[in-house]
């Protein structure tokens, strides 16, 4: 049996995969099993921020593998401590809890908010406001936090204690804060899975102010927007707000699984021994790789991200067959006159990998994609969209 047949026979049917088996690559070029080469504008859903087989990341991972691959959290570990320090000094947050995925990072943030509510106002203050059209993960509780009914089907009862506000409508947020006994607000600054739409700056500032006034924990889900993706190290830095909790995952690990929940002043003391944990969380190999990624996301690289973003917007806005372009940095949604699935398939045929978000074609190229590859890929995408 070939790989596709094996997969179909033995892997749970949760994924509608593209009919391609990726086997190798370098940077923003990736190869399938038949030897066909693609320019990758998907980066494994915003994970491979420095592309495939990035040399520095690989060296950091291999060096750590040569020392020790896993310790558990019963012992101290250097890569984990160094990564936490780097995250805190770069963001201004105070402490980090490490896990293995975005969903877990958000689970930890939800626990933090509930604990905060209990501490400050009482046990019944457990409701968290999230946004309609949000996406926070696939566990039952992060699905419950996800403001899209379609994700709740089949899995009821959901975890209680989540209500959903209309994005960019501060009055709706105020109303929900009044109507419910809340402990926190959790938002993505650019909704990724929801269709790559950035929140308004004034709205986000209003939400942050409201959270402060009402003593609610402000949680920013930067699982997708974090680690340079939007042109800032973390998107909140560009929005001019100070969150109490920031979660991240995807791009942090450079391709190995990791999740991080960063806790600010209001939240840093919430967890004491035994209140959360993870067998693999803070794995030394994943952390050593993540540290090499984070250290290279500097102002020079971020300026490059913003420049490439401006280029993509300029090329696609008003292009033939394009209805609108949304997003921020190198997290971009293209609403096309053609069906997105059709555009994706045609691009694949022509050697460009792009993905989908709702009805849009989603672009998540490597932060360091070379200009030549970016230009060739966008040229092909434009041709496909306009045909
Ligand atoms: C991908 C994503 C998640 C879930 O992350 P996993 O690593 O798949 O658990 C949560 N929130 C946002 C905003 C995401 O984009």
């Amino acid at each position: 049996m070939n790989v596709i047949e094996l997969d179909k026979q033995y892997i749970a049917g949760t994924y509608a995969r593209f009919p391609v088996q990726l086997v190798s690559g370098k940077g923003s070029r990736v190869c399938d099993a038949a030897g066909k080469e693609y320019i990758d504008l998907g980066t494994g859903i915003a994970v491979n921020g420095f592309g495939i087989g990035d040399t520095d990341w690989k060296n950091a991972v291999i060096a750590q593998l040569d020392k020790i691959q896993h310790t558990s959290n019963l012992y101290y570990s250097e890569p984990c401590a160094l990564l936490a320090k780097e995250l805190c000094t770069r963001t201004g947050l105070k402490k980090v809890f490490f896990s293995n995925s975005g969903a877990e990072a958000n689970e930890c943030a939800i626990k933090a908010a509930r604990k905060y509510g209990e501490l400050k106002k009482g046990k019944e203050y457990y409701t968290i406001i999230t946004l309609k059209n949000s996406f926070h993960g696939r566990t039952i509780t992060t699905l419950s936090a996800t403001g899209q009914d379609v994700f709740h089907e089949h899995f009821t009862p959901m975890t209680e204690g989540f209500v959903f506000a209309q994005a960019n409508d501060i009055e709706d947020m105020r109303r929900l804060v009044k109507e419910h006994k809340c402990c926190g607000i959790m938002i993505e600054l650019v909704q990724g899975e929801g269709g790559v739409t950035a929140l308004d700056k004034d709205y986000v500032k209003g939400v942050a102010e409201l959270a402060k006034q009402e003593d609610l924990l402000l949680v920013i889900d930067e699982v997708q927007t974090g680690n340079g993706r939007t042109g800032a190290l973390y998107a909140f830095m560009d929005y001019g707000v100070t969150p109490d909790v920031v979660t991240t995952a995807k791009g942090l690990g450079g391709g190995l699984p990791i999740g991080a929940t960063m806790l600010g002043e209001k939240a840093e003391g919430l967890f004491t021994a035994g209140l959360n944990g993870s067998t693999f969380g803070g794995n030394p190999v994943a952390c050593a790789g993540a540290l090499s990624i984070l250290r290279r996301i500097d102002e020079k690289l971020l300026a490059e991200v913003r420049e490439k973003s401006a280029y993509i917007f300029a090329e696609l806005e008003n292009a033939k067959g394009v209805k609108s372009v949304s997003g921020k940095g190198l997290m971009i949604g293209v609403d096309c006159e053609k069906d997105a699935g059709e555009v994706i398939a045609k691009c694949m045929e022509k050697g460009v990998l792009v993905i989908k978000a709702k009805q849009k074609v989603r672009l998540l190229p490597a932060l360091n994609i070379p200009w030549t590859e970016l230009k060739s890929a966008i040229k092909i995408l434009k041709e496909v969209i306009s045909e």
Side-chain angles (χ1 to χ4, degrees), residues 135-147 151-152 155 158:
F135 182 81
H136 297 295
R138 295 283 189 167
T139 61
I140 288 285
T141 296
T142 55
L143 272 186
S144 306
T146 292
F151 285 108
H152 299 168
F155 304 122
M158 306 310 288

Side-chain angles (χ1 to χ4, degrees), residues 165-176:
Q166 187 63 47
N168 291 324
D169 180 348
I170 193 72
E171 288 313 319
D172 199 38
M173 186 64 85
R174 287 212 181 94
R175 175 183 65 82
L176 289 170

Side-chain angles (χ1 to χ4, degrees), residues 101-104 106 135-138 188 193 221 223-224 249-250:
S101 66
E104 275 180 284
N106 286 337
F135 182 81
H136 297 295
R138 295 283 189 167
E188 298 159 88
E193 306 305 311
D221 178 348
V223 170
Q224 192 162 158
K250 290 193 170 91

